[in-house]
Amino acid sequence: MDEFSDKNIKQVIIPTDDFAASTLDEFAPELLPYYYIPIVKDTPGELTKCMDKGLQKSVAERCGLNVAKARTIIVSENEYDIPEDIEYPCFTKPQMTKGSPKTFIRKCDSEDELRNLLTEVSKRGKCKILIEQYLPIDKEYVVPGCCLGDNVYIPAFIEKKRIGCGKHKGVTASGKVIDAKSMEAILEKFKNFVAEFKLFGLFDLELIESNGIIYFSELNLRNGAAGFGVTSAGVNLPGIYIEYCLNGKIPSKINSVKDGLTFVNEKVELDDYYAGYISWMQYKSNVNKEEVRFIVNNDDPVSGKVFNAFVRKQRIKRIIKNILRRR
């Protein structure tokens, strides 16, 4: 507030992870006079409540979306109970993402594996864990959008071509943009679902396709990195949101995207290389085979120059790390 607020100009803040979004929501009463921030039902604190995946699933079912069957287990410090009717394999995830590591997102093939996971969770204190029916995944999608109350804009679905590993588990490393018009059969259901939350802000939906059926997985009430794939394909969703905040303009319609455009997030690929999940040759192949790179591009040569210097530094560190490991 002291460093960045300006009494004469109300500025826009766009969070890019759940912790940032929740923190802005917590301090909304202090921030709102000076900043436009994402908000649900014009009520501070509501956005954080709507991050609850159990709540999201119940709203999704009410809107006619397919969801995996799920149970919630309350894990306390070194204490939890596993229901006898859990079917294996199952899939676990924190019911509230804020403050929980991605390692809690896991496929468990047996009760022993589930027990090991819950024991790990219990060492961190109280937490709600969602245990879902495991669905074999044929495809994964992320669906970036902008919601201005009842007005929901979803120009494209993104099919994940490759996802990150480790700290980027589940994050889109590369993807293909699909014009939302080709998903018309389910598009309106997703728009109605998001509209239920009365959000003013950016969002993305996580979906999976299993045996030809598309299932809702979760709603992220903030901007996601994969959304830049839609910007690259011709629709600037953050621009639509900012235009609304600053000028009150709600677009009557939006442009069509470049259907089939492929992109890569080099930062995710680089982190996977440095962590040892892919080789240098794989990294080079992954970032060079897609149409659009998020960081290195002709429109912004400075960021590309800085990033390439960072790539060289990470490669040297990885080589040194490998040499030391062999010793």
Side-chain angles (χ1 to χ4, degrees), residues 18-20 22-23 26 48 51 53 94-101:
D18 288 341
F19 178 79
S22 183
T23 302
E26 180 181 353
T48 303
M51 289 180 175
K53 293 180 178 63
Q95 191 152 316
M96 294 289 286
T97 307
K98 180 186 175 184
S100 299

Side-chain angles (χ1 to χ4, degrees), residues 269-324:
E269 296 286 0
L270 181 64
D271 287 349
D272 277 3
Y273 160 71
Y274 182 72
Y277 294 105
I278 58 175
S279 68
W280 175 250
M281 293 302 292
Q282 285 173 306
Y283 166 77
K284 295 292 287 182
S285 173
N286 290 350
V287 299
N288 287 328
K289 68 185 178 183
E290 311 300 351
E291 292 175 65
V292 172
R293 294 174 64 170
F294 276 7
I295 303 171
V296 180
N297 63 75
N298 294 330
D299 294 332
D300 187 7
V302 175
S303 3
K305 184 178 179 181
V306 172
F307 181 73
N308 285 332
F310 182 61
V311 170
R312 289 191 291 273
K313 179 181 177 181
Q314 293 297 89
R315 191 181 182 199
I316 291 168
K317 287 170 68 176
R318 165 83 189 269
I319 291 169
I320 293 171
K321 189 164 68 169
N322 288 345
I323 292 171
L324 293 174

Side-chain angles (χ1 to χ4, degrees), residues 18 47-61 67-68 70-72 91-102 104-105 127-132 193 197 206 216-222:
D18 288 341
L47 185 143
T48 303
K49 290 178 184 176
C50 293
M51 289 180 175
D52 186 306
K53 293 180 178 63
L55 169 66
Q56 292 179 6
K57 287 173 78 76
S58 65
V59 176
E61 281 189 288
V67 297
R71 298 281 296 275
T72 297
F91 194 75
T92 63
K93 60 175 72 168
Q95 191 152 316
M96 294 289 286
T97 307
K98 180 186 175 184
S100 299
K102 288 185 180 291
F104 291 177
I105 303 173
C127 179
K128 288 183 179 180
I129 293 291
L130 203 62
I131 301 179
E132 291 186 333
F193 164 71
F197 293 88
E206 296 278 352
F216 166 78
S217 181
E218 63 184 81
L219 168 66
N220 297 309
L221 294 152
R222 40 79 180 167

Side-chain angles (χ1 to χ4, degrees), residues 139-145 154-163 170-178 183 190 203-209 214-215 217-220 222-230 237 263 294:
K139 293 179 183 178
E140 290 186 71
Y141 301 92
V142 59
V143 185
I154 299 178
F157 285 50
I158 291 172
E159 181 182 333
K160 298 184 181 188
K161 295 181 66 179
R162 202 184 87 78
I163 59 175
V171 176
T172 308
S174 62
K176 181 175 75 171
V177 177
I178 301 168
M183 298 290 212
F190 284 113
F203 67 88
D204 67 40
L205 296 158
E206 296 278 352
L207 316 174
I208 65 167
E209 185 173 331
I214 293 180
Y215 291 83
S217 181
E218 63 184 81
L219 168 66
N220 297 309
R222 40 79 180 167
N223 191 49
F228 190 63
V230 176
L237 290 167
F263 64 84
F294 276 7

Side-chain angles (χ1 to χ4, degrees), residues 152-156 181 234-235 237 240 251-257:
V152 182
Y153 302 94
I154 299 178
K181 293 186 185 73
V235 178
L237 290 167
I240 291 172
S252 55
K253 68 174 199 173
I254 56 176
N255 298 331
S256 295
V257 295

